[in-house]
């Protein structure tokens, strides 16, 4: 067992959040012991965290289908966060559907990513490249950093459609967002 400074069980990274341990110290038998928690914490701390950059881009459905294949992402070493836009002035049906993509990659892979997008019909070289702060940011961005550090690339697809609300419209001014005629029946 590692001789780290002893912590309370609930202070370890791998400890499930919740009501345990109880006030008398009891925990369910299936919960990890101290040795397992120390091993898990050492494993988590030894992972490589890649420093990523991101670009925001919109593509049509055929390009999205080609760019989001695992083969394409593994070859060019990028990950995607994909959000479909709701049908309207900026998005249509079928092949005219627009996808809002956030492309994540290591800055050293910039050329490969730009080449892949250019071959699929979209030039992203003019789009601003935004660095990701490795010590802050969203939890899912941190997961992508660790995934890239391990050589694993993925596409995360939103389960919701996003509406584009232009400034000056009632939808934009409403803090609750746009209203839809069928909205009350959605569950």
């Amino acid at each position: 067992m590692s001789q780290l400074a002893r912590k309370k069980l609930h202070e370890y990274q791998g400890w499930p959040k919740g009501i345990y341990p109880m006030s008398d110290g009891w925990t369910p038998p299936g919960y990890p012991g101290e040795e397992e928690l120390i091993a898990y914490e050492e494993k988590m701390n030894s992972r490589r965290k890649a420093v990523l950059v991101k670009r925001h881009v919109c593509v049509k459905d055929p390009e999205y289908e080609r760019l989001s294949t695992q083969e394409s992402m593994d070859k060019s070493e990028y990950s995607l966060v994909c959000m479909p836009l709701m049908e309207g002035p900026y998005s249509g049906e079928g092949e005219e559907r627009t996808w809002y993509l956030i492309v994540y990659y290591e800055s050293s892979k910039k050329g490969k990513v730009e080449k892949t997008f250019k071959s699929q019909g979209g030039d992203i070289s003019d789009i601003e490249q935004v660095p990701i702060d490795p010590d802050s940011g969203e939890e899912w961005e941190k997961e992508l950093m660790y995934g890239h550090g391990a050589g694993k690339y993925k596409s995360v697809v939103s389960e919701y459609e996003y509406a584009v609300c232009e400034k000056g419209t009632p939808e934009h001014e409403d803090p609750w967002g746009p209203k839809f005629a069928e909205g009350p029946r959605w569950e």
Side-chain angles (χ1 to χ4, degrees):
M1 182 170 105
S2 176
Q3 295 299 323
L4 295 175
R6 295 189 59 88
K7 299 180 188 179
K8 294 180 181 174
L9 284 176
H10 67 276
E11 293 176 349
Y12 286 102
Q13 286 182 10
W15 186 257
K17 304 292 182 241
I19 64 171
Y20 299 111
M22 302 286 286
S23 60
D24 62 357
W26 181 86
T27 59
Y31 269 42
E34 188 172 8
E35 296 83 18
E36 293 167 309
L37 290 171
I38 290 171
Y40 177 78
E41 192 167 272
E42 289 173 351
K43 178 183 172 188
M44 292 294 109
N45 291 337
S46 68
R47 295 184 301 169
R48 179 181 171 267
K49 191 180 205 181
V51 178
L52 300 179
V53 295
K54 65 182 174 181
R55 285 183 171 168
H56 301 263
V57 61
C58 288
V59 298
K60 292 295 184 186
D61 198 58
E63 291 84 16
Y64 161 74
E65 293 293 336
R66 292 189 297 265
L67 291 166
S68 64
T69 63
Q70 193 63 49
E71 179 185 342
S72 178
M73 290 186 294
D74 288 343
K75 182 179 176 186
S76 298
E77 302 178 48
Y78 64 88
S79 290
L80 297 172
V81 173
C82 314
M83 295 166 263
L85 295 185
M86 189 173 285
E87 191 176 325
Y90 298 101
S91 184
E93 290 184 34
E95 290 188 354
E96 291 301 310
R97 180 178 210 167
T98 302
W99 288 83
Y100 175 68
L101 305 178
I102 306 174
V103 185
Y104 291 89
Y105 56 93
E106 295 178 62
S107 58
S108 61
K109 313 290 195 249
K110 178 181 175 181
K112 290 170 86 172
V113 174
E114 287 179 353
K115 184 178 175 184
T116 299
F117 271 78
K118 195 165 194 166
S119 72
Q120 300 301 332
D123 185 13
I124 64 169
S125 59
D126 294 338
I127 298 172
E128 181 184 12
Q129 182 175 276
V130 181
I132 307 293
D133 183 358
D135 298 322
S136 64
E138 302 293 332
E139 199 59 39
W140 48 274
E141 287 182 334
K142 290 178 184 175
E143 288 177 25
L144 287 175
M145 289 179 199
Y146 285 121
H148 277 249
K152 297 178 183 173
Y153 311 99
K154 65 181 178 178
S155 175
V156 180
V157 181
S158 173
E159 58 189 57
Y160 302 105
E161 289 184 327
Y162 287 80
V164 178
C165 301
E166 294 184 24
K167 273 191 174 177
T169 62
E171 294 85 13
H172 182 269
E173 304 304 323
D174 186 351
W176 295 101
K179 306 282 187 288
F180 300 98
E182 298 291 317
R185 291 177 241 178
W186 293 347
E187 292 186 31

